[in-house]
Amino acid sequence: MTPRPLFRTGAAVLLVAALTACSSIEPDTSSGDDSAGPGEPRSGGTLTTFASGDPASLDPALLTGYDQIVIGTNILEGLFRLNTEGNAVEPALAEKAEAGADGRTWTIQLRQTTFTNGDPVTADDVKFSLERVVNPATKSPRAQIIDIVAGATELRTGKADEISGIVVTGERALTVTLTQPYAGFTALLASPQLAIVSERAATENAADFGAKVVSAGPFKLGEWQRNQQLSATANDSYWDGRPYLDTVIWRFVPDENTRMLEFESDSMDITWLPPASYDRYAKDPKWSENLGRAETLHTEMFAINMERQPLGGSKPLRQAICVTVDRAAAVAGLQGRANEAYTLLPEPLEKSPPKPACAADADAAEALVAEAGAPTTPLRLIAPSWSNLTKTLELYQANLKAVGIDVQLNQLEQAQYQQALDQGDFDLAWTYRVPDFIDPDSFITPLVASDRIGFGNAARYRSSQVDNLLTQARSSMDENTRAGLYQQIGDAVLGELAYIPLLHNVYVDIHQPRVGGYVPSAMDAHNYRKTWVAQ
């Protein structure tokens, strides 16, 4: 479940001056009977929202894209799930999950509940679902997701026909044995790819299960009009209580201006608020309270190529970059839809914050450059070729030039950018990180582990001390101990400034006044199980 970055294709995120002239659409502020708000929770009604495209398949084993996940999170259910805010993990089909004294053996007891086809949810369904993701016959793009489970690698590579570490011990009971202790295991189990499906339904509809998926989520798959819309209806037997809504409809509308037209004509209840429309709604008291904001688990940063001179060998130059870039101006240019970042981990993942990477201090930068010596040739800065990212990068480029650091901006097509990032063909790289699941290990390990250089560790950062701390943090089952270890990791990495944090993204959407109980998700997995409509 990966939130989309604030800078992304298809989202015209520009500086405010460029935005104001982008649209002449005026909001319809005549909200009629809905102006009093949604009132108390009530059952019934239909909520209409959007997806940017047809998800093609809702088979959990095949989920990769945003549209698949934002719809799937309302239809699928795993052993664990995200809370409605999308910033914490809570039990779902697993009524109880306990790690043994060795930290490797987990005992899981299931709730007594049913799938949306009426079949009981059993431990056999759980084993089937997890093995199905790993089985090479499924061709899941996330087949490695539970390699930490004993026997998963053997099944994935065709050396076994089951996962030996998953053992059914009763109709609603099973044990899962890991290859090593891992405190993030329950958070991993909240991944939408690990949703539990009905073995019978998946077997009977193997050829097109993605269009006939049966799980145990708050809603069940309804009518699917390809390339137009998809509906889901309330699961009357949902273990956490029937949702208030009768129906949710996702309209497939790729163009954000078209979505706003539909919203303003009252035919869409919730939509992402594009920058071109932001000020008009945020400053209108009739609408400002209907803006939803989610501080996403997302950090934008500069990766320093630690293997390349001059930056890799000059901490003063890295410090100069850190103190010079004007994060506050970047946030203002993004209409406040971001927060300044001085540490790597987003707040929900950071229980014991490390020392900040730096403090904004442009005056100190010139002294740092003088100490190190200004680079004699322009530094190569690579970034994706998203036009809506250019203005912010040009701001940073101007900041650095003012203190004597010349930067050559190279915005590359995605494949070229990824290749340059993986191969280290840069001095400085704009990049971002979101966790695959809500655990600090999922965020930080790919960024800094020595064995991830070339696929994740863009800074090409090596530290045996940090590698050892990562191993300890992954295996410690004590949350306070883990928090302290991740604090030490943050101090070490930020102390070297292998990465320079820039911004944390803020997702902003808007809903009609009749909508109640809705909050956007920090992981972009917007869930409507507690949402209602006033009419």
Side-chain angles (χ1 to χ4, degrees):
M1 282 171 281
T2 303
R4 296 168 296 172
L6 183 60
F7 303 112
R8 59 187 184 274
T9 55
V13 185
L14 306 174
L15 292 182
V16 176
L19 292 170
T20 308
C22 286
S23 173
S24 60
I25 299 170
E26 292 300 324
D28 178 6
T29 57
S30 58
S31 50
D33 293 338
D34 294 333
S35 58
E40 293 299 315
R42 64 178 296 276
S43 295
T46 297
L47 179 89
T48 301
T49 183
F50 78 97
S52 58
D54 192 313
S57 171
L58 292 175
D59 183 339
L62 303 180
L63 298 184
T64 55
Y66 165 79
D67 294 312
Q68 292 176 318
I69 291 172
V70 78
I71 297 173
T73 192
N74 289 276
I75 294 172
L76 306 171
E77 194 83 345
L79 296 173
F80 287 78
R81 69 182 186 184
L82 298 182
N83 63 358
T84 53
E85 293 83 2
N87 57 17
V89 171
E90 58 191 24
L93 295 179
E95 187 172 51
K96 184 184 297 184
E98 295 179 338
D102 63 357
R104 294 176 57 240
T105 304
W106 288 77
T107 301
I108 299 174
Q109 181 69 36
L110 302 179
R111 299 181 191 277
Q112 186 169 357
T113 188
T114 62
F115 291 109
T116 53
N117 65 355
D119 291 348
V121 177
T122 70
D124 285 327
D125 293 302
V126 173
K127 180 176 173 66
F128 169 82
S129 300
L130 299 183
E131 289 182 340
R132 184 172 175 273
V133 179
V134 175
N135 194 316
T138 307
K139 298 181 180 179
S140 170
R142 297 297 306 278
Q144 297 179 338
I145 189 170
I146 53 171
D147 273 2
I148 197 167
V149 176
T153 302
E154 287 75 10
L155 174 59
R156 180 170 57 79
T157 57
K159 297 177 182 178
D161 57 8
E162 68 169 343
I163 297 178
S164 58
I166 302 177
V167 178
V168 173
T169 58
E171 183 180 3
R172 292 187 290 115
L174 66 156
T175 61
V176 180
T177 302
L178 309 183
T179 58
Q180 62 190 65
Y182 185 44
F185 184 55
T186 56
L188 173 63
L189 290 175
S191 302
Q193 294 84 2
L194 299 180
I196 307 307
V197 299
S198 162
E199 179 177 4
R200 181 172 70 87
T203 302
E204 292 177 353
N205 300 290
D208 58 350
F209 187 61
K212 299 179 179 179
V213 66
V214 175
S215 185
F219 297 89
K220 58 184 177 181
L221 188 59
E223 184 180 7
W224 193 335
Q225 300 175 41
R226 290 293 182 177
N227 300 312
Q228 296 183 47
Q229 67 180 39
L230 179 151
S231 68
T233 57
N235 177 4
D236 292 333
S237 301
Y238 186 51
W239 68 267
D240 197 23
R242 183 194 188 278
Y244 295 118
L245 296 166
D246 288 338
T247 307
V248 180
I249 296 173
W250 288 269
R251 300 245 307 113
F252 307 148
V253 186
D255 181 71
E256 59 196 28
N257 290 322
T258 303
R259 294 197 296 260
M260 287 307 303
L261 284 170
E262 293 201 14
F263 180 84
E264 289 161 356
S265 67
D266 208 28
S267 58
M268 187 172 288
D269 293 304
I270 301 174
T271 186
W272 181 71
L273 187 59
S277 302
Y278 178 80
D279 281 345
R280 291 180 289 114
Y281 280 96
K283 295 177 181 179
D284 187 335
K286 294 180 180 179
W287 285 101
S288 59
E289 292 186 0
N290 297 322
L291 268 62
R293 298 174 66 90
E295 296 188 2
T296 67
L297 307 188
H298 170 287
T299 305
E300 295 162 18
M301 64 196 80
F302 281 145
I304 305 293
N305 189 338
M306 297 297 285
E307 295 180 346
R308 189 156 156 171
Q309 299 298 328
L311 292 184
S314 176
K315 186 175 177 179
L317 278 180
R318 301 196 296 272
Q319 290 174 315
I321 294 171
C322 190
V323 302
T324 299
V325 289
D326 194 340
R327 297 167 179 82
V331 169
L334 296 167
Q335 303 165 302
R337 298 158 68 114
N339 295 319
E340 298 177 44
Y342 293 95
T343 59
L344 290 173
L345 286 174
E347 185 175 346
L349 299 179
E350 203 162 56
K351 306 304 181 185
S352 298
K355 298 174 184 176
C358 61
D361 188 353
D363 293 337
E366 292 186 15
L368 289 165
V369 173
E371 174 188 345
T376 55
T377 57
L379 301 175
R380 173 174 161 83
L381 167 60
I382 64 168
S385 60
W386 303 338
S387 60
N388 41 38
L389 174 58
T390 302
K391 293 293 184 181
T392 299
L393 292 175
E394 288 176 345
L395 166 69
Y396 296 150
Q397 183 182 39
N399 295 154
L400 295 172
K401 187 174 182 61
V403 297
I405 300 176
D406 285 333
V407 171
Q408 180 184 53
L409 177 57
N410 294 265
Q411 287 190 267
L412 308 172
E413 293 302 319
Q414 187 62 37
Q416 293 176 303
Y417 164 73
Q418 193 62 53
Q419 182 180 34
L421 196 68
D422 292 344
Q423 295 180 355
D425 185 17
F426 62 88
D427 297 298
L428 197 63
W430 180 94
T431 187
Y432 70 94
R433 177 69 190 157
V434 292
D436 295 318
F437 51 93
I438 300 183
D439 188 84
D441 172 64
S442 178
F443 188 101
I444 201 70
T445 296
L447 277 180
V448 302
S450 298
D451 61 2
R452 295 298 299 267
I453 291 174
F455 58 106
N457 184 345
R460 311 182 84 78
Y461 172 77
R462 288 181 174 86
S463 169
S464 58
Q465 175 200 5
V466 167
D467 289 339
N468 289 334
L469 289 171
L470 287 170
T471 300
Q472 294 176 50
R474 282 174 60 87
S475 60
S476 173
M477 302 303 290
D478 181 83
E479 285 302 313
N480 290 330
T481 299
R482 290 190 87 209
L485 290 166
Y486 284 116
Q487 182 182 48
Q488 293 180 58
I489 292 166
D491 285 339
V493 176
L494 294 176
E496 285 297 312
L497 287 175
Y499 292 95
I500 296 174
L502 298 171
L503 301 174
H504 296 303
N505 182 26
V506 176
Y507 174 91
V508 181
D509 63 16
I510 187 167
H511 58 267
Q512 299 288 356
R514 61 177 169 269
V515 176
Y518 166 74
V519 290
S521 167
M523 287 287 280
D524 256 4
H526 313 303
N527 193 290
Y528 306 116
R529 60 181 177 259
K530 299 298 182 184
T531 301
W532 70 89
V533 289
Q535 62 181 29

